[in-house]
Amino acid sequence: MTKVLIVDDEDTTRNTISWYLKKEGFQVFTSPSGEDALLMETSIQPDLIVLDIIMPGMSGLEVARNIPRQVPIIFLTALGQETDKLTGFNLGAEDYVTKPFSPRELVARIKVVLRRYGKSPMEDHISCPPFEINIKARKIKVAQTEPYLTAKEFDLLLFLIRNSNTIFSREALITNVWGYEYDGDARVVDTTIKRLRHKLGAQHRDCLKTIRSSGYMLEVITNE
Amino acid sequence: MTKVLIVDDEDTTRNTISWYLKKEGFQVFTSPSGEDALLMETSIQPDLIVLDIIMPGMSGLEVARNIPRQVPIIFLTALGQETDKLTGFNLGAEDYVTKPFSPRELVARIKVVLRRYGKSPMEDHISCPPFEINIKARKIKVAQTEPYLTAKEFDLLLFLIRNSNTIFSREALITNVWGYEYDGDARVVDTTIKRLRHKLGAQHRDCLKTIRSSGYMLEVITNE
DNA sequence: TTTCTGTGTCACAAAAGTGTCAAACAAGAA
DNA sequence: TTCTTGTTTGACACTTTTGTGACACAGAAA
């Protein structure tokens, strides 16, 4: 699974790119600030970073300077900031995209850079009986049925499937599925789990285990 | 099991951080004062310390200065104490978090620092015949069976397995399993042991030895 | 605009876990 | 044996945690 981290202070930009990349089967992480991005970088270890240069607080260039690891970066920049371009390439930038840009173009460039780095193409299908997930289409098949899941439901289930047979506290699920900055009641998880169980039907609702006073877990049969 | 020591004079701060960390599977110790913290540090040998700078009595910086061992420290500081920041980094601070802070952010930073130090939050499997413990799923296998254990039962058994063939007094078990702050009858241990024995069944209930007027011990065969 | 869908919050009911207690019981000392 | 001390156990009350339906609200769609 190829991980891409998007750093930009504008919500719309983040969301747009994120949406297009998810559709292509990437695992997407976003951060609205350079400071947070640095933290996330270490823990996520993304395969590529899309980095806005102009941000309040720490600039994209500073972020790039402070990343210890060698990771390809694509900078987003306003029209005609030629000096930045030079600095950026010195910092190991792989590419530049000038705002405003077409998301499709950005996705294409991301793919090019990843290919250059020998990253395997993104996964687009996961099989984890009884689940079959088509990531690009964001569709899930359980045994014969193909229940309709909303965005959050899908994300949560996908995360649990990727990490099956592991307990996650509500907090952990919040940070992994709802995201870093989400601040709200952790019991949304309960509600979403409930909705998922309902949609999975009597047959498979039991895959979603409650581990009392610890959290939730997706249990699937492992044939060791 | 990764140990984190939290030092802060405010009860709420201590408790909040503690709660979030425990949810993530860390073993948490807390201290309301710098003096105590120093004592605890030597006996506990935590993997990371979260240290408030401003405290009555000994300040966080002094504490840091007096810790002989090399251990990563994350300082908590009030907004804009820039001078402190410098001093702290000289004392080997790994990170700074400015109060007020989001607990989720702090947890994320703690994980980053621990990763940098090559510590992961949890091991995931223990084998100690006839016991097999899957920590990620909080499941325990005894010979063929897989008895359902409640949270406390699991914690107690896990502790005893980790420290098998060692006698613990009820008080010791209370502080290690129930936690420092627990104040209640130490005889809960008796009840929990009883419930465990019941669930282990006739085959293995004898692993849980009673050492009259000393405490309890888990006895397993060691083949040296 | 109005309508519809997805998402989060809340309050309450139901379920499950935990601690306390007292009586019955065992071990060891005198 | 008998006494004393410490342990086992079941019952019960109480607390915590979870499930669920109803509702509010925002943003997309019509």
Side-chain angles (χ1 to χ4, degrees):
Chain A
M1 184 59 153
T2 312
K3 290 179 276 188
V4 177
L5 172 62
I6 303 168
V7 193
D8 195 308
D9 55 308
E10 289 167 63
D11 293 355
T12 2
T13 316
R14 277 206 315 278
N15 295 338
T16 318
I17 309 179
S18 173
W19 188 82
Y20 275 88
L21 285 177
K22 276 185 184 166
K23 241 176 68 172
E24 294 291 326
F26 292 94
Q27 192 173 5
V28 184
F29 302 85
T30 63
S31 163
S33 88
E35 289 82 355
D36 289 350
L38 274 178
L39 283 175
M40 292 179 75
E41 203 283 324
T42 352
S43 62
I44 294 167
Q45 308 249 352
D47 300 292
L48 181 143
I49 303 178
V50 176
L51 190 52
D52 187 20
I53 294 194
I54 319 256
M55 292 187 292
M58 191 181 263
S59 85
L61 296 172
E62 287 179 80
V63 176
R65 248 191 292 276
N66 282 291
I67 290 175
R69 206 162 58 97
Q70 173 104 13
V71 52
I73 297 175
I74 295 182
F75 281 106
L76 299 181
T77 171
L79 240 170
Q81 305 264 330
E82 296 305 326
T83 17
D84 282 352
K85 245 179 202 175
L86 283 174
T87 333
F89 278 118
N90 286 338
L91 289 168
E94 281 299 323
D95 205 347
Y96 266 89
V97 174
T98 313
K99 282 186 180 182
F101 58 87
S102 120
R104 291 221 176 76
E105 187 200 332
L106 177 59
V107 171
R109 282 169 189 257
I110 288 174
K111 284 185 178 171
V112 169
V113 172
L114 285 172
R115 172 145 338 143
R116 197 182 302 151
Y117 271 68
K119 282 290 165 196
S120 58
M122 346 61 240
E123 113 200 81
D124 61 14
H125 190 268
I126 300 180
S127 172
C128 172
F131 300 98
E132 296 284 330
I133 297 105
N134 178 335
I135 300 202
K136 280 196 195 175
R138 290 177 68 84
K139 275 189 179 168
I140 192 158
K141 217 190 241 168
V142 195
Q144 321 302 338
T145 62
E146 199 173 273
Y148 166 74
L149 300 187
T150 69
K152 273 278 139 47
E153 287 161 8
F154 182 85
D155 290 344
L156 176 59
L157 186 53
L158 180 58
F159 177 81
L160 287 172
I161 286 174
R162 280 207 172 105
N163 303 279
S164 55
N165 296 313
T166 304
I167 299 177
F168 292 92
S169 67
R170 292 178 178 68
E171 291 305 324
L173 291 174
I174 290 280
T175 43
N176 282 292
V177 177
W178 273 255
Y180 207 82
E181 313 110 80
Y182 178 86
D183 81 326
D185 195 337
R187 301 250 350 241
V188 230
V189 179
D190 295 42
T191 305
T192 311
I193 288 274
K194 178 202 125 195
R195 287 166 180 160
L196 270 174
R197 279 178 176 151
H198 178 73
K199 290 186 180 176
L200 290 184
Q203 298 297 316
H204 301 96
R205 59 150 47 221
D206 296 333
C207 297
L208 289 170
K209 298 270 186 214
T210 302
I211 295 25
R212 198 159 220 268
S213 76
S214 295
Y216 294 99
M217 168 175 100
L218 185 104
E219 192 174 67
V220 291
I221 328 89
T222 52
N223 44 347
E224 311 133 49
Chain B
M1 177 72 108
T2 310
K3 291 178 275 186
V4 178
L5 172 62
I6 303 167
V7 192
D8 195 308
D9 56 307
E10 290 167 61
D11 292 355
T12 1
T13 315
R14 278 206 314 280
N15 295 337
T16 318
I17 308 179
S18 171
W19 186 83
Y20 275 87
L21 284 176
K22 280 183 183 164
K23 285 272 166 200
E24 296 289 331
F26 293 93
Q27 191 174 5
V28 184
F29 303 85
T30 62
S31 162
S33 88
E35 289 81 354
D36 290 350
L38 273 179
L39 287 174
M40 290 178 76
E41 204 285 325
T42 5
S43 64
I44 293 167
Q45 306 252 354
D47 300 291
L48 182 143
I49 303 178
V50 177
L51 191 51
D52 188 20
I53 294 195
I54 319 254
M55 292 187 292
M58 190 181 264
S59 85
L61 296 172
E62 288 179 79
V63 177
R65 247 191 292 276
N66 283 289
I67 290 175
R69 206 162 58 97
Q70 172 104 12
V71 52
I73 297 175
I74 293 181
F75 282 106
L76 299 181
T77 171
L79 239 171
Q81 306 264 330
E82 295 304 327
T83 18
D84 283 352
K85 247 181 199 173
L86 283 175
T87 333
F89 277 119
N90 286 338
L91 289 169
E94 280 299 324
D95 205 348
Y96 266 89
V97 174
T98 313
K99 283 185 180 184
F101 58 88
S102 121
R104 290 205 182 96
E105 187 197 331
L106 178 58
V107 171
R109 284 175 188 253
I110 288 174
K111 285 186 177 172
V112 169
V113 172
L114 285 171
R115 169 143 337 152
R116 201 180 297 150
Y117 272 69
K119 294 273 174 191
S120 69
M122 329 217 271
E123 68 209 298
D124 63 282
H125 192 267
I126 298 180
S127 173
C128 172
F131 299 99
E132 295 282 330
I133 296 105
N134 177 339
I135 300 205
K136 284 196 295 188
R138 287 178 72 88
K139 276 188 180 172
I140 191 158
K141 221 190 238 166
V142 195
Q144 320 302 336
T145 62
E146 202 173 87
Y148 167 74
L149 300 187
T150 69
K152 274 277 141 49
E153 287 161 8
F154 182 88
D155 291 344
L156 176 59
L157 186 53
L158 181 59
F159 177 81
L160 287 171
I161 285 174
R162 280 204 173 108
N163 303 278
S164 53
N165 297 313
T166 309
I167 301 176
F168 291 94
S169 66
R170 292 180 177 70
E171 283 70 24
L173 291 173
I174 289 280
T175 46
N176 281 291
V177 178
W178 274 255
Y180 262 101
E181 315 94 61
Y182 178 84
D183 81 327
D185 197 338
R187 304 294 302 276
V188 234
V189 179
D190 296 39
T191 304
T192 311
I193 288 274
K194 175 207 126 195
R195 286 167 181 159
L196 269 175
R197 280 178 176 150
H198 177 72
K199 290 186 179 177
L200 291 184
Q203 299 297 315
H204 301 96
R205 59 150 48 222
D206 297 333
C207 296
L208 289 169
K209 298 275 185 211
T210 303
I211 312 322
R212 196 157 219 269
S213 74
S214 296
Y216 295 98
M217 167 176 105
L218 184 103
E219 191 175 67
V220 292
I221 329 88
T222 50
N223 46 346
E224 296 139 53

